[in-house]
Amino acid sequence: LSNQSKEAFIDWARYDDSQDHFCELDDERSPDAQYVDLLLNPERYTGYKGPSAWRVWNSIYEENCFKPRSVYRPLNPLAPSRGGDDGESFYTWLEGLCLEKRVFYKLISGLHASINLHLCANYLLEETWGKPRWGPNVKEFTRRFDPIETKGEGPRRLKNLYFLYLIELRALSKVAPYFERSVVDLYTGNGHEDAESKALLLDIFRDTKSFHMHFDEKSMFAGDKKGAKSLKEEFRLHFKNISRIMDCVGCDKCRLWGKLQTQGLGTALKILFSEKEIQSLPENSPSKGFQLTRQEIVALVNAFGRLSTSIRELQNFKVLLQQTR
């Protein structure tokens, strides 16, 4: 490496360490860190369910969605209702929140729906000796998303899934200028693969720009500067707490994909709230004002890939449901 490159790396590392990340970034130098090939460990049903799994999601909703404990959140569609409350009080309360807090809830709900869809679409249907059979489980999909089975909750979850998809799509289109600069190299040690990977990534960005119905984040945190800054910081801290809660997931594969998708969403939010910094980046010198780590780039792309898969699998389930009627 040239002395200039070494100085640049030190500068990048110093900048990364000083940033207010939206997620807890695992330390790659930690003795407990593990490298995982995502292609060899696909996200699918693992059997991790029941009270332990519900405690994780309940903690995420209860601690982070700006919700007072007095308001019932009908998270589990199979849970008994509390008195005469059918869960509508939650949505009455939610509509009274500011735009930013409603958006936060919808993002978490959309993430939850997306993960549930993956599990339903790649379910262990039959465990024969040495040859397990995986595929879509219509019954499980119905249990989690059918309007009647979920007391009207399922369709809301799916709407939030589409909302989350639009948010991350918007982030990809916004971050394009960062990667379009010649100074940005997706370094792997193989020059040919680096160039090919960057070309593929830029193709994705071009596709996202051709779709104009993105979420417009300009209306968020647009109030008085002091209040907006305080709310944005609260937003960030809630999101960091969610990534910590994901560490409590007892299933290794579930924790892996849960944290990856959480970090991908956190990276998307970081991008959307850094538009000015991205636009003012220098063309031929190290990034100052905005920087993405390798970990954030991997999470961003894979999280969007998971959401895209969710949308596709949802269409597949619609076809399967029509065939079973």
Side-chain angles (χ1 to χ4, degrees):
L1 296 176
S2 66
N3 290 332
Q4 184 180 5
S5 294
K6 290 178 182 177
E7 290 173 5
F9 289 158
I10 293 171
D11 181 56
W12 293 353
R14 188 185 301 118
Y15 178 82
D16 281 352
D17 291 340
S18 70
Q19 288 307 287
D20 290 332
H21 297 291
F22 272 85
C23 281
E24 289 291 292
L25 298 181
D26 294 329
D27 186 356
E28 295 179 6
R29 291 165 291 187
S30 167
D32 297 325
Q34 291 182 321
Y35 288 93
V36 178
D37 188 329
L38 298 178
L39 296 178
L40 297 178
N41 294 274
E43 185 183 19
R44 59 191 180 190
Y45 180 77
T46 63
Y48 181 67
K49 59 183 179 180
S52 178
W54 280 118
R55 274 198 298 271
V56 171
W57 280 110
N58 276 320
S59 294
I60 289 173
Y61 283 104
E62 292 286 339
E63 295 179 20
N64 298 286
C65 287
F66 303 94
K67 184 188 83 63
R69 293 191 179 275
S70 59
V71 177
Y72 173 47
R73 166 70 180 93
L75 170 60
N76 184 346
L78 302 180
S81 59
R82 300 184 181 179
D85 185 2
D86 59 359
E88 286 304 314
S89 64
F90 174 81
Y91 293 100
T92 302
W93 165 82
L94 185 65
E95 288 306 309
L97 293 180
C98 65
L99 169 67
E100 291 83 357
K101 292 181 179 180
R102 293 201 306 273
V103 164
F104 190 97
Y105 165 73
K106 288 182 178 181
L107 293 177
I108 302 308
S109 175
L111 178 63
H112 192 187
S114 179
I115 290 173
N116 277 336
L117 256 169
H118 302 153
L119 306 186
C120 295
N122 209 351
Y123 202 92
L124 182 57
L125 300 175
E126 189 178 5
E127 193 168 8
T128 54
W129 180 257
K131 286 188 177 181
R133 187 167 65 89
W134 300 85
N137 187 324
V138 176
K139 184 178 179 181
E140 186 67 23
F141 174 83
T142 302
R143 188 179 75 83
R144 294 174 186 255
F145 295 105
D146 181 80
I148 297 174
E149 291 266 356
T150 62
K151 301 177 184 177
E153 180 70 12
R156 284 188 174 114
R157 294 173 183 165
L158 295 177
K159 285 182 180 179
N160 292 334
L161 165 65
Y162 279 101
F163 178 73
L164 173 60
Y165 179 77
L166 292 178
I167 288 277
E168 295 204 11
L169 189 67
R170 174 75 161 178
L172 287 178
S173 68
K174 288 286 185 181
V175 81
Y178 172 81
F179 288 98
E180 287 169 348
R181 298 175 304 142
S182 58
V183 72
V184 174
D185 183 20
L186 302 177
Y187 182 78
T188 65
N190 182 314
H192 176 73
E193 287 187 4
D194 293 350
E196 193 174 64
S197 297
K198 184 169 181 178
L200 288 170
L201 196 58
L202 294 180
D203 281 344
I204 293 174
F205 293 146
R206 276 189 285 272
D207 285 341
T208 63
K209 288 181 178 179
S210 68
F211 180 75
H212 301 295
M213 294 175 63
H214 300 160
F215 174 77
D216 184 4
E217 75 288 348
K218 288 186 174 63
S219 57
M220 293 182 65
F221 308 110
D224 66 280
K225 288 187 177 180
K226 186 176 180 180
K229 185 176 180 181
S230 174
L231 185 58
K232 184 175 177 180
E233 176 64 8
E234 192 177 3
F235 209 92
R236 186 182 68 83
L237 291 176
H238 275 284
F239 210 89
K240 288 187 74 172
N241 187 48
I242 290 173
S243 65
R244 292 191 189 104
I245 291 173
M246 284 290 182
D247 283 327
C248 300
V249 174
C251 162
D252 287 348
K253 185 178 285 187
C254 302
R255 182 168 63 250
L256 164 69
W257 284 102
K259 284 181 68 70
L260 183 142
Q261 289 169 83
T262 302
Q263 187 175 332
L265 175 52
T267 304
L269 294 175
K270 173 180 174 178
I271 292 166
L272 293 180
F273 299 141
S274 305
E275 182 177 9
K276 291 181 181 178
E277 291 80 358
I278 294 173
Q279 290 177 343
S280 60
L281 288 171
E283 171 60 35
N284 296 309
S285 60
S287 305
K288 294 201 176 178
F290 179 84
Q291 177 75 19
L292 289 179
T293 66
R294 182 187 302 263
Q295 198 171 333
E296 287 173 318
I297 295 169
V298 170
L300 176 69
V301 176
N302 277 279
F304 185 71
R306 293 279 74 206
L307 282 174
S308 302
T309 301
S310 296
I311 301 296
R312 185 189 64 197
E313 295 294 356
L314 182 55
Q315 302 308 314
N316 291 341
F317 274 115
K318 286 180 179 178
V319 173
L320 291 172
L321 284 169
Q322 289 172 352
Q323 292 173 350
T324 57
R325 284 173 183 166

